[in-house]
Amino acid sequence: MPTIMPIYGTRPEAIKMAPIVAALKESDQFACVVTVTGQHRAMLDQVNDLFGIVPDHDLNILKPGQSLSAIMTRTIDGLDRLFKTDKPDAVIVQGDTTTSTAAAIAAFYHGIPVVHVEAGLRSGNPLSPFPEEANRKLTSQIASLHLAPTSTSKANLLAENIAEEDIVVTGNTVIDALLETAQKEVAFSDPRLENLAASGHRVLLVTTHRRENQGNAMQGVGRALARIADAEPGVTIVLPAHKNPIVREAVLPALEGKPNVLVIEPLPYGEFTRLLSISHLVLTDSGGVQEEAPSLGKPVLVMRDNTERPEAVLAGTVLLIGTDEDRIVKEVDRLLNDREHFDSMAQAVNPYGDGLAADRTTHAIAELLGCGVRISEFEVPQQVPAAVV
Ligand code: UD1
Ligand code: UDP
């Protein structure tokens, strides 16, 4: 029986890999050996705990203030040693983190086929998102199987001369995770969130962490939130703060003492999806949140100048607004106070998946290893404008 090794290290990879780990463990075709790097120690463990995943190997690489080179070298070094004793038939890496690209390189050096989940996303700018755009392009150069979430991402791969037979459009596994999690009744562990849910107050959900936004831009985000809090006392701003101290030091000082701002620790995924579902609108620079919020019909303002996820922008649920303080205040104000504009964005669209991405992934891997056939590809549901596909 072939051994498949999912390798991941951060919160978003863990959320998006969890449905694949579950599908592999259910399958009688494969043995599944889970390896984590621990790039995000706390936020990774939080996801594994929720999905009941106990890693077989843990490289435990996190060092506070870690550099990109340290993540890369510690991952490659750890996997280099692991692959000498434990050689899987294929590894799976997800997305564009440095864990993901380092794991792809380490496997490639050992002649192990690399399966790349969420392949083909492109912003077109190597400096934004940094270093993710370069990471994902590097992985595309050495992967044997490219699992594109959408036909747009497949087109990006074809444009870079990746062979069509090596690409399968699966949908994004984040939608598998979201659909499974949203079915469950989840209580908030923080009573302030339960009170908020019961109050019927409008919630502005905010997340931020992008490396290229750190510094001045993120301080501006903090100031913009403070101005919104003052101008809209009936709105509660909820900010589950990323564990990165650089992020906290930039955003949080401007928010101190604001009665309608709730800064909380990263939420377990189930609680976060519930918070998303009771939110009025979302302000974020996150990749995963950009994919999840549209399927719940939540307008999303993305604090970036570009996106590798154009589908929900074209569908009208996501608006790119950059990080200018005045623009953030203006766009939030418009969504809070212009009903017609809000309604035009609050359309549930699901261009990223149908909940079957993990199933398509295991079938595509079976085909790669010569023990199965692929199943039909993910097709974008009809509500997305034809221009997207
Ligand atoms: C990483 C990924 C980014 C992804 C993001 C998701 C890279 C280069 N970046 O960025 O693509 O969008 O994760 O959140 O791979 N920390 C902790 N505990 C944790 C997590 C982080 O203490 O559980 C702190 C550490 O001080 C660490 C810092 O946060 O040095 C930054 O973490 P790191 O993984 O280097 O980068 P992210 O900005 O989180
Ligand atoms: N998320 C979570 N708890 C939180 C904030 C986010 O579980 O407090 C989830 C969110 O639902 C999404 C993922 O984390 O699936 C996004 O992670 P992040 O924004 O850190 O990374 P990105 O997607 O930008 O790489």
Side-chain angles (χ1 to χ4, degrees):
M1 186 186 282
T3 298
I4 311 298
M5 184 182 284
I7 306 174
Y8 54 97
T10 66
R11 170 172 68 192
E13 292 165 85
I15 291 166
K16 291 171 172 181
M17 202 70 99
I20 297 173
V21 171
L24 287 171
K25 287 196 185 281
E26 267 170 32
S27 146
D28 50 14
Q29 274 187 303
F30 304 112
C32 173
V33 174
V34 173
T35 296
V36 295
T37 63
Q39 177 180 335
H40 278 178
R41 183 71 279 159
M43 286 156 60
L44 168 74
D45 294 348
Q46 200 177 34
V47 180
N48 279 336
D49 289 349
L50 178 74
F51 288 100
I53 299 172
V54 180
D56 299 280
H57 304 286
D58 189 337
L59 305 183
N60 200 20
I61 65 162
L62 175 80
K63 294 258 193 262
Q66 57 200 354
S67 69
L68 296 175
S69 302
I71 302 168
M72 178 65 84
T73 52
R74 284 164 66 78
T75 298
I76 292 181
D77 188 47
L79 290 175
D80 194 37
R81 276 182 274 131
L82 179 60
F83 291 153
K84 283 181 187 144
T85 54
D86 210 306
K87 195 162 177 174
D89 296 284
V91 302
I92 311 179
V93 300
Q94 197 287 331
D96 53 21
T97 67
T98 296
T99 277
S100 169
T101 301
I105 292 171
F108 179 71
Y109 286 165
H110 280 260
I112 302 168
V114 173
V115 176
H116 187 198
V117 170
E118 201 184 73
L121 276 64
R122 296 290 184 266
S123 71
N125 180 352
L127 297 181
S128 176
F130 175 85
E132 290 82 4
E133 176 76 356
N135 279 348
R136 51 172 94 107
K137 289 180 87 167
L138 289 167
T139 302
S140 293
Q141 294 305 305
I142 49 183
S144 299
L145 175 61
H146 309 258
L147 301 178
T150 66
S151 53
T152 307
S153 38
K154 175 177 177 176
N156 291 335
L157 292 166
L158 291 173
E160 291 173 14
N161 296 322
I162 304 290
E164 184 158 17
E165 62 268 26
D166 297 337
I167 308 171
V168 180
V169 180
T170 56
N172 198 310
T173 54
V174 79
I175 303 299
D176 298 29
L178 180 68
L179 294 179
E180 189 201 319
T181 309
Q183 279 173 8
K184 297 178 185 151
E185 280 212 0
V186 178
F188 288 122
S189 41
D190 185 333
R192 292 173 301 174
L193 290 178
E194 275 307 341
N195 291 341
L196 181 61
S199 74
H201 273 203
R202 290 193 295 177
V203 173
L204 166 59
L205 173 58
V206 184
T207 78
T208 181
H209 71 82
R210 293 246 80 83
R211 228 164 248 263
E212 66 276 9
N213 286 350
Q214 288 168 10
N216 288 343
M218 241 175 228
Q219 287 169 12
V221 171
R223 287 193 300 272
L225 293 176
R227 283 167 59 187
I228 295 163
D230 289 342
E232 300 283 352
V235 171
T236 303
I237 299 175
V238 183
L239 172 60
H242 193 282
K243 281 281 182 197
N244 191 344
I246 295 172
V247 172
R248 293 180 177 212
E249 282 156 22
V251 184
L252 303 193
L255 303 175
E256 264 170 39
K258 302 280 175 205
N260 54 337
V261 178
L262 206 49
V263 177
I264 53 178
E265 287 300 309
L267 285 173
Y269 185 59
E271 293 191 40
F272 186 80
T273 57
R274 180 172 169 213
L275 181 60
L276 201 50
S277 72
I278 64 163
S279 293
H280 190 65
L281 67 124
V282 181
L283 179 66
T284 190
D285 59 17
S286 161
V289 177
Q290 266 178 80
E291 292 157 345
E292 294 161 339
S295 69
L296 299 172
K298 304 297 172 181
V300 187
L301 298 174
V302 173
M303 297 182 284
R304 288 181 48 188
D305 297 322
N306 62 18
T307 182
E308 55 290 311
R309 296 169 167 90
E311 294 86 350
V313 178
L314 287 168
T317 310
V318 167
L319 188 63
L320 291 177
I321 63 165
T323 51
D324 178 71
E325 180 186 331
D326 291 338
R327 176 96 198 267
I328 293 171
V329 173
K330 187 175 137 222
E331 295 294 350
V332 170
D333 173 68
R334 194 169 162 218
L335 272 172
L336 288 173
N337 297 308
D338 178 343
R339 186 77 219 185
E340 207 177 313
H341 176 54
F342 179 86
D343 288 345
S344 74
M345 284 186 72
Q347 307 292 332
V349 294
N350 219 340
Y352 296 115
D354 57 3
L356 299 175
D359 201 26
R360 293 193 186 93
T361 298
T362 53
H363 279 85
I365 295 171
E367 186 191 27
L368 173 76
L369 298 179
C371 56
V373 288
R374 70 175 73 175
I375 53 177
S376 63
E377 294 197 329
F378 168 63
E379 283 177 29
V380 177
Q382 281 188 342
Q383 74 265 34
V384 178
V388 178
V389 284

